[in-house]
Amino acid sequence: MLKDHAKIIHAIAASEEIIGRKKLQKMVYIAKKLAFPFQERFQFHFYGPYSEELTLRVEELCNMGFLDEVKEKKGGYYQYRYTLTENGKEFLSLSDVSMPNLQECLTDMNNQNARFLELVSTVLYFDTLPEEEVKEKIFTLKSKQRYTDEEVEAAYQYIANLREKAGH
């Protein structure tokens, strides 16, 4: 059971810090779609792919003292900042989680904004469909985000670059 928890800790350690629950969800989903061995199941939700399992694991890791979750007021909303605690670092050193190239991919993703990662994860969610159908779904399901054709193209290019980094 704790092996899946260790993978989440590994992801946060590799990123050093992840700001935002939505961003954490998207980063883990994208990493999973890049064939990194995350086990959480995702469904399509209001902000794109979402995993209740991931939310619960992060909560458990915070309760166990392995992750630090800091709630910050930012404008009119709250934002969550995730980092590893000393206990989390110790737990990670004892786990045998090995995900080569994960750090490079997550660092890159962590430098993107949540809006773009939402687009990338949505493109990946519908990756069995032809590109034109994916665009149609994005423009319909994500109409409030007002994504452009250029942004969708950038998302496809970004996915190709990540796949290269991941070695898959």
Side-chain angles (χ1 to χ4, degrees):
M1 174 194 143
L2 286 179
K3 191 157 183 82
D4 291 329
H5 288 75
K7 290 174 189 174
I8 303 304
I9 291 175
H10 184 75
I12 292 171
S15 306
E16 291 180 26
E17 169 183 77
I18 297 176
I19 301 171
R21 287 177 170 171
K22 182 165 91 169
K23 190 171 204 176
L24 174 61
Q25 287 273 338
K26 302 315 162 220
M27 288 171 66
V28 171
Y29 179 76
I30 293 166
K32 181 177 179 171
K33 291 295 281 187
L34 293 172
F36 288 105
F38 290 98
Q39 301 306 314
E40 291 77 15
R41 287 185 303 272
F42 286 80
Q43 278 104 24
F44 199 77
H45 214 258
F46 189 67
Y47 296 110
Y50 170 80
S51 171
E52 183 68 32
E53 288 174 297
L54 178 56
T55 297
L56 292 172
R57 282 202 177 114
V58 168
E59 199 175 296
E60 289 166 352
L61 289 166
C62 290
N63 292 338
M64 288 188 262
F66 294 155
L67 285 184
D68 190 29
E69 177 187 70
V70 177
K71 184 178 178 181
E72 304 169 325
K73 191 156 177 66
K74 187 168 184 185
Y77 66 98
Y78 286 99
Q79 179 171 279
Y80 295 84
R81 181 182 298 263
Y82 296 96
T83 52
L84 232 58
T85 62
E86 285 307 312
N87 286 343
K89 289 175 187 168
E90 191 179 323
F91 176 76
L92 189 58
S93 73
L94 299 173
S95 72
D96 61 347
V97 172
S98 173
M99 291 190 261
N101 306 326
L102 179 70
Q103 183 165 5
E104 195 179 348
C105 291
L106 288 178
T107 299
D108 192 320
M109 283 187 249
N110 209 8
N111 288 326
Q112 306 300 318
N113 65 46
R115 181 180 180 275
F116 183 65
L117 293 178
E118 185 178 330
L119 174 60
V120 170
S121 63
T122 301
V123 168
L124 284 167
Y125 193 84
F126 296 111
D127 64 357
T128 58
L129 300 174
E131 193 172 326
E132 281 310 307
E133 281 184 49
V134 172
K135 280 184 183 179
E136 203 176 292
K137 287 214 177 282
I138 287 166
F139 298 146
T140 304
L141 296 170
K142 300 274 164 207
S143 60
K144 285 185 178 165
Q145 290 284 31
R146 293 193 170 94
Y147 290 118
T148 64
D149 278 321
E150 292 77 20
E151 287 175 305
V152 175
E153 288 305 317
Y156 273 102
Q157 186 56 55
Y158 185 69
I159 292 164
N161 293 344
L162 280 178
R163 283 196 170 119
E164 207 172 289
K165 275 185 182 148
H168 304 126

